[in-house]
């Protein structure tokens, strides 16, 4: 038996004694809501949580309202939240006065790559054409994204424009609390381009109301995205994904952290989790403990540099 398997099979020193609340910072169906619902099913399937679980949607501030609610529950191991990049960018931008260091990082679950989409009847026929339009005049093309200024989606656009030698500060952005709302904005023709988590764009692509131009993944995605090139194929350095993880409340005890690390590690090995991972074009990227803290600290430095390039901080 490996050390990891021994860890997963060992009886935890603490277990939940009452209902678990999982707080997410997007509306139902949004980018944090989907993994939260899958995770709840996987935790039950893996027989790691034997008490009731409920999900609370507290949207706003790019997820910030949910993290505010989590922070207010200091010392409570029965409340969790889905984490994503705005937890870091909100602090850097002054939207929030805290980041991951004020909470308890428990695990990172996966990365979700981005799709660059246009309305089905758009005159923009290719990623190269979109790139040229943004290079020539970044402010002439309305772009929809979620869930906040400074999000992964915004940073991806910054990478494109920086490579093109154009000013990313000139972008004309339409920002929504959920990727689903941003997709609707594209389909309605209010935005000419959407930079959206891939799974959020899938229904619009399947229905034929939108088209995908490119993805930000390191390799082509499957299914409805199979024909969409990566930016790397087009000689544009833009490989970036939205990571999703799990945060605990500040000040929880070591036994609480150990329980959740074991439970989450078991959940991502369940068939329910792996099936949803494949169905949603999510890329497995589990980490916990010191590796996770090192990742988040490095990500904070990366985001700080990109937000400076975007002109969002001095």
């Amino acid at each position: 038996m490996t050390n990891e398997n021994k860890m997963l099979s060992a009886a935890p020193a603490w277990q939940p004694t009452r209902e678990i609340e999982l707080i997410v910072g997007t509306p139902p169906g949004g980018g944090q809501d989907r993994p939260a619902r899958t995770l709840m099913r996987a935790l039950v399937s893996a027989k790691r949580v034997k008490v009731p679980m409920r999900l609370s949607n507290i949207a706003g501030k790019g997820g910030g309202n949910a993290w505010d609610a989590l922070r207010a529950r200091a010392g409570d191991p029965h409340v969790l939240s889905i984490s994503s990049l705005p937890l870091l960018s909100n602090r850097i931008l002054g939207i929030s006065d805290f980041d991951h260091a004020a909470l308890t990082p428990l695990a990172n679950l996966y990365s979700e790559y981005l799709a660059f989409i246009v309305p089905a009847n758009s005159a923009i026929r290719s990623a190269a054409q979109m790139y040229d339009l943004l290079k020539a005049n970044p402010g002439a093309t309305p772009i929809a994204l979620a869930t906040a200024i400074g999000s992964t989606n915004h940073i991806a656009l910054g990478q494109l424009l920086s490579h093109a030698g154009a000013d990313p500060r000139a972008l004309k952005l339409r920002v929504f609390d959920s990727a689903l709302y941003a997709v609707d904005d594209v389909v309605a023709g209010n935005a000419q381009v959407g930079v959206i988590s891939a799974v959020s764009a899938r229904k619009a692509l399947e229905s034929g109301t939108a088209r995908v131009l490119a993805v930000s993944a390191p390799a082509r995605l499957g299914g409805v995205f199979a024909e969409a090139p990566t930016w790397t194929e087009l000689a544009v350095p833009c490989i970036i994904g939205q990571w999703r993880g799990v945060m605990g409340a500040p000040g929880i005890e070591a036994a609480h952290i150990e329980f959740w690390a074991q439970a989450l590690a078991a959940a991502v090995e369940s068939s329910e989790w792996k099936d949803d991972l494949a169905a949603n074009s999510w890329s497995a990227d589990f980490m916990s403990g010191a590796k996770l803290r090192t990742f988040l600290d490095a990500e904070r430095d990366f985001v700080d540099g990109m937000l400076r390039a975007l002109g969002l901080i001095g």
Side-chain angles (χ1 to χ4, degrees), residues 142-155:
I143 302 173
L145 55 79
T147 54
I149 292 291
S151 65
T152 303
N153 314 52
H154 192 188
I155 290 173

Side-chain angles (χ1 to χ4, degrees), residues 12 17 25 135 187 202 209 230 280:
T17 57
K135 180 178 181 179
V187 170
R202 189 176 59 195
T209 56
T230 67
N280 290 298

Side-chain angles (χ1 to χ4, degrees), residues 194-250:
V195 184
I196 310 295
S197 55
V199 66
S200 298
R202 189 176 59 195
K203 286 185 178 179
L205 299 177
E206 290 172 345
S207 69
T209 56
R211 290 185 288 108
V212 58
L213 302 179
V215 295
S216 69
R220 290 200 182 198
L221 303 177
V224 72
F225 303 99
E227 298 302 315
T230 67
W231 283 110
T232 303
E233 290 177 59
L234 303 172
V236 178
C238 180
I239 299 176
I240 186 169
Q242 173 68 279
W243 45 266
R244 311 276 187 196
V246 180
M247 286 283 161

Side-chain angles (χ1 to χ4, degrees), residues 7 37 61 74 102 119 167 173 222 250-251 256 306:
M7 181 190 76
R37 294 178 189 275
K61 294 198 304 184
D167 186 358
L173 301 176
H256 305 147
M306 286 304 305

Side-chain angles (χ1 to χ4, degrees), residues 151-175:
S151 65
T152 303
N153 314 52
H154 192 188
I155 290 173
L157 285 165
Q159 290 180 314
L160 295 186
L161 267 68
S162 294
H163 181 71
D167 186 358
R169 296 171 296 180
L171 286 164
K172 185 177 181 180
L173 301 176
R174 297 170 59 82
V175 183

